Amino acid sequence: NHRQLLKQQFARWVVMCFIGIFTAIIACSIDIAIHRLSTVKYSLLKSYFDETMKTSYLFIPVLLWIAWNSGFVLIAAILVAYGEPVAAGSGIPQIKCFLNGVMIPHVVRLFTLFCKVVGVVLSVVGGLAIGKEGPMIHSGAVVAAGISQGRSSTFRRDFKIFTYFRTDTEKRDFVSGGAAAGVSAAFGAPVGGVLFSLEEGASFWNQALTWRIFFASMMSTFTLNMIQSYIHGVPWQLSYPGLLNFGQFSDISYTGAEIPIYLVMAVVGGLLGALFNHINLKLCIFRKRHIRTPLGQVLEAVLVAAMTAVAAFLLIYFVEDCQALGKDPIVHPLQMYCLDGQYSSMAAIWFQTPEQSVKSLFHDPPDSYRPLTVALFGIVYFLLATWTYGLSVPSGLFIPCLLTGAAWGRLIGISVRGVFPDAEWANPGKFALVGAAAQLGGVVRMTISLTVILIEATGSISFGFPIMIVLMVAKWVGDLFNEGLYDIHVKLAGVPILPWEPPHLTSNIMASEVMSHPVTTFDMNETVGHVVNVLKKDLHEGFPVVDHINPAPNQPGRSTFGLLRGTITRSQLIVLLKNKAFTDPTTGIRGSNRLTLDHFREIYPRFPKIEQIHITEREKACVINLVPYMNPAPYTVFDNTSLPRIFKLFRGLGLRHLVVVDKNNEVIGIVTRKDLARYRFESHKGSKGLEELQMSFN
Amino acid sequence: NHRQLLKQQFARWVVMCFIGIFTAIIACSIDIAIHRLSTVKYSLLKSYFDETMKTSYLFIPVLLWIAWNSGFVLIAAILVAYGEPVAAGSGIPQIKCFLNGVMIPHVVRLFTLFCKVVGVVLSVVGGLAIGKEGPMIHSGAVVAAGISQGRSSTFRRDFKIFTYFRTDTEKRDFVSGGAAAGVSAAFGAPVGGVLFSLEEGASFWNQALTWRIFFASMMSTFTLNMIQSYIHGVPWQLSYPGLLNFGQFSDISYTGAEIPIYLVMAVVGGLLGALFNHINLKLCIFRKRHIRTPLGQVLEAVLVAAMTAVAAFLLIYFVEDCQALGKDPIVHPLQMYCLDGQYSSMAAIWFQTPEQSVKSLFHDPPDSYRPLTVALFGIVYFLLATWTYGLSVPSGLFIPCLLTGAAWGRLIGISVRGVFPDAEWANPGKFALVGAAAQLGGVVRMTISLTVILIEATGSISFGFPIMIVLMVAKWVGDLFNEGLYDIHVKLAGVPILPWEPPHLTSNIMASEVMSHPVTTFDMNETVGHVVNVLKKDLHEGFPVVDHINPAPNQPGRSTFGLLRGTITRSQLIVLLKNKAFTDPTTGIRGSNRLTLDHFREIYPRFPKIEQIHITEREKACVINLVPYMNPAPYTVFDNTSLPRIFKLFRGLGLRHLVVVDKNNEVIGIVTRKDLARYRFESHKGSKGLEELQMSFN
């Protein structure tokens, strides 16, 4: 009734508010933990380096560095490889699948959150070429699922609240809000967060929902700014510019004449991004084949961590780039072989977290780095980042891409400054920002959301146009070679995700070619034994309910499976069986009363497997009446409906299966997401490695 | 084929680029024309006032003022009332309908653009309480429709380009881009523009389309900034802060403690907004009843223009608020009865365009206005604005709302400053911004797009959270009383627009209750005479094609209209008739060869009326075979499908009609947008005046 609707409406806002607050708190905790631990790490390393510099015992701090990195990454990798493998990586591909309507097991569990949060702190502190932003977005999604469902399966607790949100659609709506809140907390980009959720997840634009997502997103930034303003010693000053992630660029200025340079950089970003994706894809295929055991995964992660320390040390040792102290706020200035009063610029980039390095490359005074320093750093970091993404540790992709791009962008900026030494606009930091955008755009191929995230994270609205142009061109160039890295990883996992638009040139493909058949159907009254047998054999999620099974072909060459009356899902049948909602035909005794919506909500979303349901031989003879539970008016299409129309139905309405009927409304086939997703893969003739696809999820 | 697809894809980007550029040029022209003409106006008035001040001939400048206002508004009103009535108002309700899938005649014609552009310049210069932003958005939409269709029906020219974009869907996509470019040009808010298009128009989120819309939007801001930077004397300085519409707020700071004050202001904004909408609705109903002739409309517009001058003069005459010259950049400082070296603050607000007044209230030094000045100005402007919106002149709603809100917001700011005289945060300009947001939010009830527009137009990302909270609360409060003003005007026009979500508590309403019946159907082969007769009698847009008409009830109490084979639209039938695509059954002579897609595109979108097609008596006996032209696989629903499911189909797939079939696939009814929109009206029991609804469009 109306009052209950108002209550639900209000509860939606309350849930979104808490999603925002908790996501921000988790993001802050990650932030603080990383900050504290890496301060300890780099202070310790600096003091050891400073002490042993004049002696021949320089191997001591190097070993310490390797040990520190390996130790932290070891724990992170064990947590992921043995604890919760789905916590590996940035989590964005998984969230993308989830929002697209494909449920990946464990992806929004509390234990996954724990592994992700602890793991990402350890990995960043362990010095890997990763960021914490992707995992923060994943955390937001888990928080959203947890709060909105009012229970935790990790702790086996059910708080019996918000039971009316226990449907796939509602859960997905809240997870959109959580992902937005995650972006918002990670980058301080509330509008970018909303656009991220829309770009990655939405198929159907809904004003009220978008507004709630924006609320979660804003609450997240607000909470984050509150906590950060306390930490920065300016409590309640919510507009303090020091809260911006990558430093404030508000005074940035540019002239139209710079745009050609940016276009060249965008092309470079697109090419490097495509190269990054190519190498990473090859590595991931290699991993899938040869590093299959958790032990192997842990060892590889530890190896990468050790190699990162070695590479950094070698660069610091061999590249001599001494800068005078004082120009630039360095927290751990390492002197190395520089004169007194100077510090090694190469060491300065390495002796901080990757995020701080991005900030340094964006904002350090023009002459803080020699060209060779940023060039070598960029190359090494690029290679480390390609190797790292895909390891069995939580690892964000944004920061390594931004950092690589900032390095080569700054290199271009230094060159431009060399050519136009007096030009006010030739600020290397600005070019570092453009390079970072180009590199990130070339790798992830996101569009409007990434533009807005970068605008918000740098606080420079006026620089939005160059950023957009750069992302657009980088995406175009990259798309000539391969897909975005998240899409590559989704495909590697074999998830039947649906793209935004139907594949081109498919309008002559008809439902009759796309559909699967024969179709398993149920009569309106079915014996329990038959239902159990079918569910054990047939793994589909939905089944048509028909009036009368007619397996004999009624036309030459074509068979129908009965007159369509409705559809019923696997989980509904399982709940019916579990609750013994059937009748003994000989005695007329009913196993239970008619089930209500609560019976289904209580068990959602972890329906037992059919094997877990105990059915006695006697019960197998009982009869279930499916009519009260089936969907009596399913969406259907005719056999001559074209693929693009079917596609539009799936995307527009979020379907999972669709019954194909002939002109007499008799069932002749069923179309599932997998049937449709198949056409996506086939349409991308260019991309190799398709044979590697395995359906590992679902 | 594939190459053609690539060409189309490329053409889409090119068209979007030109949409952005031309929209910006039009917006700039409006801007410059208004600026020049109003400089002349106020210089002239000032010199007359200064001269006659010491004499008793003060009536001379007042009459001049009245004459100027009335004269300009007279021309604007004649253009609209006699030229193109659809050019009246802001155009946003019309764009909303267009994007929602309801075609309003003439709304995207070139002549409408001409009336709108010239009209809005004249009306703003005529001193009405209106803005130019809404008409700019409408202009963007017309530009988009014109460029994408490659022809103009005003000039009867067809450039034969982009013929593949001549479908409703493609046109709508481009118009979304045009509306976004319009917002972008009007407020310098490219991201806000995209969100505006999505919020008002999108039902189906499409990443590639959104990215193109963003491109149009960005091109528009870019072009605008290029032109503006030349005008401001800083060519190519695209990030010059003077380009911001409402001045730069980037140094704005706020503390958490201010939020309660903002919440109170949001409630005030919601209440005042609801009051505004209520008064305006009553006035519009009055107008619809009593001011029906173009002459009456012109006279009313002139009356309002004269009254605006009178009201302004009375306020300037009676309110004494003298401020020292020099503190504040006043272009036309009027001395009135002030001492030498002083100017009348009340005159300063009136002696500039409303947009400049908003800027003044936002940015003038704290003590520039006495409380009485802003209070009286706010009240008078509120009343004038309610009276003005809905007149037969092009008139944007944003600026009058912002100005009213800025006035009472500044009043609150002055009071807060009185209570906390030393507080750094007690800046009246900031409170004026909050008031402006609250008032505008209370009137138009837009959500995320308005937030982003205000953030971008003021350049203050950090102030986004308070703006969002204020808009949210203002919308909630306003929604308790009535709907947003654009929705009110859409309803007044009787357009069957579909809301975002199905009305609540309608899940027990079935297709059989919603649908219209009996249904006019066609056989697969129909005589021309029958088709012509049906099209003359039945005004529906779509008709089912059935296997065999069966008008007799085959079940007691229910009739079916034949087995569904496909659907055909009115415009298809008209093209078939026009091209004589029929066969003489006696001679076997065919009127024309089989029609191709080009026949339909050539005539799109202005299909002739059935009365305009000449059919001889002999042709009436001919037979049309509908099978090659009909849609053979229409979306259908069963009679027991619930209203929310039907609704989802309409919104998700952008349908206009949907055939209802029974279990045997026989047609039993048809659901149109009007049938669905009816349920919206009925669900809003609270809002009165529904009996006034007339279906004036379509």
Side-chain angles (χ1 to χ4, degrees), chain B residues 320-323 334-340 342-344:
Chain B
E320 197 186 328
D321 182 358
C322 296
Q323 301 287 341
L334 196 64
Q335 191 175 343
M336 290 300 286
Y337 299 106
C338 294
L339 302 174
D340 285 350
Q342 289 189 328
Y343 68 93
S344 158

Side-chain angles (χ1 to χ4, degrees), chain A residues 207, chain B residues 90 92-93 96 134 137 187 196 199-200 269-270 272-274 276-277 389 396-402 436-451 453-454 471 474-476 478-479 482-489 500:
Chain A
Q207 194 196 24
Chain B
S90 77
I92 293 179
K96 210 171 156 143
I137 300 168
F187 300 101
F196 173 86
E199 191 167 325
E200 296 303 330
L272 287 178
F276 188 103
N277 293 2
Y389 190 74
L397 185 59
F398 272 58
I399 294 292
C401 290
L402 286 173
Q439 177 76 41
L440 184 54
V443 171
V444 300
R445 316 277 165 82
M446 284 158 60
T447 58
I448 184 170
S449 61
L450 188 55
T451 314
I453 288 172
L454 289 175
L471 288 176
K475 181 176 157 65
W476 279 343
D479 279 346
N482 46 34
E483 284 186 285
L485 196 56
Y486 295 136
D487 290 310
I488 288 177
H489 278 256
W500 294 106

Side-chain angles (χ1 to χ4, degrees), chain B residues 325-635:
Chain B
L325 272 169
K327 281 198 306 183
D328 183 16
I330 305 278
V331 186
H332 306 289
L334 196 64
Q335 191 175 343
M336 290 300 286
Y337 299 106
C338 294
L339 302 174
D340 285 350
Q342 289 189 328
Y343 68 93
S344 158
S345 203
M346 181 60 97
I349 310 191
W350 284 106
F351 266 49
Q352 56 189 356
T353 60
E355 200 184 319
Q356 286 170 319
S357 305
V358 172
K359 211 165 167 174
S360 301
L361 289 173
F362 281 179
H363 295 287
D364 279 353
D367 297 318
S368 307
Y369 305 95
R370 280 176 52 206
L372 186 68
T373 309
V374 283
L376 284 177
F377 175 78
I379 293 168
V380 169
Y381 215 83
F382 179 89
L383 295 173
L384 284 174
T386 44
W387 193 7
T388 309
Y389 190 74
L391 286 182
S392 242
V393 290
S395 55
L397 185 59
F398 272 58
I399 294 292
C401 290
L402 286 173
L403 188 48
T404 312
W408 65 255
R410 192 157 178 121
L411 183 65
I412 294 182
I414 295 171
S415 324
V416 168
R417 201 175 147 83
V419 180
F420 305 100
D422 302 322
E424 199 188 326
W425 52 265
N427 165 16
K430 186 171 65 174
F431 287 89
L433 171 60
V434 174
Q439 177 76 41
L440 184 54
V443 171
V444 300
R445 316 277 165 82
M446 284 158 60
T447 58
I448 184 170
S449 61
L450 188 55
T451 314
V452 176
I453 288 172
L454 289 175
I455 290 175
E456 289 187 294
T458 57
S460 61
I461 292 181
S462 58
F463 206 58
F465 182 75
I467 290 179
M468 193 215 68
I469 291 290
V470 162
L471 288 176
M472 196 170 82
V473 173
K475 181 176 157 65
W476 279 343
V477 172
D479 279 346
L480 293 179
F481 299 96
N482 46 34
E483 284 186 285
L485 196 56
Y486 295 136
D487 290 310
I488 288 177
H489 278 256
V490 167
K491 277 194 185 174
L492 270 175
V495 177
I497 202 170
L498 293 185
W500 294 106
E501 286 183 327
H504 292 315
L505 305 173
T506 50
S507 53
N508 55 342
I509 297 176
M510 297 292 146
S512 47
E513 297 167 64
V514 181
M515 70 191 190
S516 320
H517 62 122
V519 185
T520 311
T521 57
F522 288 112
D523 247 333
M524 290 190 283
N525 290 291
E526 273 291 358
T527 61
V528 171
H530 180 67
V531 171
V532 171
N533 287 340
V534 166
L535 289 185
K536 279 185 181 159
K537 273 188 312 190
D538 187 322
L539 298 176
H540 278 105
E541 285 295 322
F543 302 93
V545 179
V546 296
D547 207 351
H548 133 89
I549 305 271
N550 176 14
N554 65 348
Q555 285 172 28
R558 179 194 282 173
S559 57
T560 79
F561 305 92
L563 193 65
L564 182 69
R565 286 299 183 197
T567 54
I568 195 148
T569 64
R570 163 179 292 268
S571 44
Q572 282 174 314
L573 289 171
I574 288 200
V575 175
L576 293 180
L577 291 176
K578 188 174 175 332
N579 287 287
K580 318 254 178 240
F582 34 70
T583 315
D584 190 326
T586 51
T587 65
I589 295 169
R590 301 172 70 179
S592 75
N593 286 325
R594 188 163 163 188
L595 302 190
T596 64
L597 210 50
D598 284 332
H599 286 95
F600 292 93
R601 274 177 183 158
E602 199 180 297
I603 201 166
Y604 174 86
R606 265 169 282 285
F607 300 100
K609 297 223 167 79
I610 182 67
E611 288 78 15
Q612 296 170 299
I613 290 179
H614 183 68
I615 298 284
T616 62
E617 277 309 311
R618 198 172 148 187
E619 285 171 338
K620 283 195 179 168
C622 293
V623 170
I624 312 187
N625 177 13
L626 299 179
V627 174
Y629 307 107
M630 71 183 188
N631 169 9
Y635 297 118

Side-chain angles (χ1 to χ4, degrees), chain A residues 40-54:
Chain A
V40 171
K41 171 184 176 181
Y42 294 117
S43 310
L44 200 69
L45 282 178
K46 176 180 151 49
S47 65
Y48 272 81
F49 267 109
D50 283 349
E51 265 177 45
T52 57
M53 206 53 233
K54 304 281 148 62

Side-chain angles (χ1 to χ4, degrees), chain B residues 276-287:
Chain B
F276 188 103
N277 293 2
H278 180 74
I279 299 176
N280 191 267
L281 173 65
K282 291 287 165 205
L283 273 171
C284 286
I285 292 172
F286 178 85
R287 265 185 204 127

